[in-house]
Amino acid sequence: MNETRRDRDAEGRARNARPRDGLGRPLPYGTPGVERQPEGVVRMPAETLREAQRLLDAGMPFHAHEVFEDAWKSGPEDERELWRGLAQLAVGLTHSARGNTAGGARLLRRGAGALAPFTGSRPHGIAVPGLCDWARELAGRVESGPPVDPAAEAPRLRG
């Protein structure tokens, strides 16, 4: 890859082709990285939750965020805030694991706020109240502590 030019996908759109680690950080060209999530995948809600939980449990919240982002962009209008809030929780965990405590805490709280309107309905079996509690508690801890282990802190999406 010519590192002075922008990477392009098959359609000619700018897309960084550098490998990434489990937290989504770019690695040098030629370095083995983790497999990236394909973009624009339309999944049923249960499949979205199953894949995102697998990635969260594996300590890859950045990649889980991409799964939620697909649901956010392709789902029904009345669920967009739900999926966006879940994506924000995953990105908050990503930043917290990378050591960006201020950004991590802010995104965890923002995600909890986006999910708050869904606390009474448990859409798709999502444990919204528990996720909101988890996010706010973790936000408080990351502001005053070291980076977190994303696999150890992975939330339960259903339950």
Side-chain angles (χ1 to χ4, degrees):
M1 178 81 223
N2 180 346
E3 295 181 37
T4 62
R5 295 180 40 203
R6 292 185 77 174
D7 299 336
R8 301 277 175 188
D9 65 14
E11 287 81 39
R13 291 184 306 255
R15 178 171 165 90
N16 192 324
R18 286 173 59 184
R20 298 200 177 249
D21 70 7
L23 291 175
R25 293 175 289 216
L27 299 168
Y29 287 102
T31 303
V34 301
E35 187 173 337
R36 294 177 76 165
Q37 288 298 116
E39 292 182 27
V41 177
V42 177
R43 300 173 180 90
M44 295 301 294
E47 185 183 359
T48 295
L49 293 166
R50 193 170 34 259
E51 179 64 6
Q53 188 68 67
R54 182 187 71 77
L55 292 163
L56 289 166
D57 292 345
M60 299 188 338
F62 176 82
H63 301 278
H65 141 267
E66 292 178 331
V67 172
F68 288 134
E69 191 172 89
D70 284 340
W72 161 22
K73 291 178 178 179
S74 67
E77 185 67 36
D78 63 338
E79 291 185 359
R80 294 230 168 122
E81 280 302 300
L82 170 72
W83 300 112
R84 187 172 71 105
L86 291 168
Q88 289 171 331
L89 295 184
V91 173
L93 181 55
T94 299
H95 283 289
S96 299
R98 289 178 177 176
N100 176 2
T101 56
R106 184 172 42 254
L107 280 161
L108 287 164
R109 288 188 179 106
R110 188 178 301 154
L115 292 177
F118 298 94
T119 55
S121 62
R122 290 188 49 87
H124 308 293
I126 300 171
V128 175
L131 286 170
C132 291
D133 292 344
W134 167 84
R136 290 183 185 110
E137 188 274 330
L138 183 59
R141 275 194 292 126
V142 301
E143 286 177 318
S144 60
V148 299
D149 175 340
E153 298 292 346
R156 306 292 348 131
L157 299 174
R158 293 175 155 170

